Amino acid sequence: GDINKIKCTVVASDFSFLGSSIEGAEGEAILFAAAHAIENKTPLIIVAQGGGMRMQASMISLSQMPRATLAINEVKAAGLPYIVIMSDPVAGGITASYAMLGDIHIAGPGATVAFAGKRVISGTVKEELPVNFQTSEAVLEAGFIDRICHRKDLNEEIGKLLSILLKQNSISTEEINE
């Protein structure tokens, strides 16, 4: 598709299908999107969402983490921008692989961005965690994501970012920081 007249390759998760958990077919979709981006010299944008790898699939599912990571590395080696949009939630193996490899990370307001669940972490460290723990706002403050953006504003936001990353016009950093 196009974002502000910039051709892009975009792949998105669908939470309504098994919570967007990753198995072989989903991993292949990511690999295909990366190959398509490289072949067509387009930025790759992934809308990440889900709880992680599909545990019923065992090693087939877990093997998608390094496969996706290697595919993303190929996109980057080709000099193409890789933008990750974190929908709600993004957790587990999704966070541990392709979701945190972006050149730019954008999350929706209040989105959960985590590896392990809040209860698991609280039980492990034996401490009460802050109310906003693992929200996009807390993750932004910690420096793990770059922007928080409402869905309705994503087209404009991504268009500005791509213009800067691809040096296609004279958008200034002041405009992007508005």
Side-chain angles (χ1 to χ4, degrees):
D2 290 11
I3 297 178
N4 290 356
K5 300 180 183 171
I6 299 170
K7 294 240 178 264
C8 300
T9 300
V10 181
V11 63
S13 303
D14 180 2
F15 198 77
S16 68
F17 182 74
L18 298 172
S20 293
S21 57
I22 304 293
E23 194 181 321
E26 294 81 7
E28 286 296 320
I30 293 168
L31 269 60
F32 179 82
H36 183 274
I38 293 166
E39 181 179 324
N40 292 285
K41 296 177 178 54
T42 59
L44 177 60
I45 300 169
I46 291 185
V47 181
Q49 182 180 45
M53 302 299 116
R54 194 169 305 146
M55 77 173 129
Q56 299 87 341
S58 186
M59 286 308 297
I60 292 170
S61 179
L62 289 175
S63 70
Q64 303 316 307
M65 292 171 62
R67 293 179 77 215
T69 299
L70 291 170
I72 298 307
N73 285 342
E74 291 296 317
V75 170
K76 290 180 169 200
L80 300 168
Y82 173 49
I83 296 175
V84 180
I85 301 163
M86 297 185 192
S87 195
D88 185 32
V90 178
I94 294 170
T95 307
S97 60
Y98 67 89
M100 295 309 269
L101 297 174
D103 297 313
I104 304 284
H105 299 96
I106 302 170
T112 298
V113 179
F115 176 66
K118 187 174 182 177
R119 288 185 312 220
V120 171
I121 294 171
S122 181
T124 302
V125 298
K126 308 280 191 262
E127 291 179 20
E128 198 63 34
L129 300 170
V131 174
N132 73 338
F133 186 73
Q134 297 178 325
T135 63
S136 55
E137 291 77 8
V139 177
L140 173 69
E141 190 174 306
F144 287 102
I145 63 172
D146 302 298
R147 313 275 296 166
I148 294 176
C149 184
H150 288 274
R151 192 166 289 202
K152 67 180 177 55
D153 300 323
L154 277 173
N155 190 51
E156 182 181 345
E157 183 82 8
I158 293 170
K160 286 179 184 179
L161 290 167
L162 288 175
S163 292
I164 292 167
L165 292 170
L166 296 169
K167 300 175 182 143
Q168 290 196 356
N169 67 24
S170 60
I171 291 178
S172 68
T173 55
E174 289 80 31
E175 286 180 86
I176 198 67
N177 287 323
E178 291 175 349

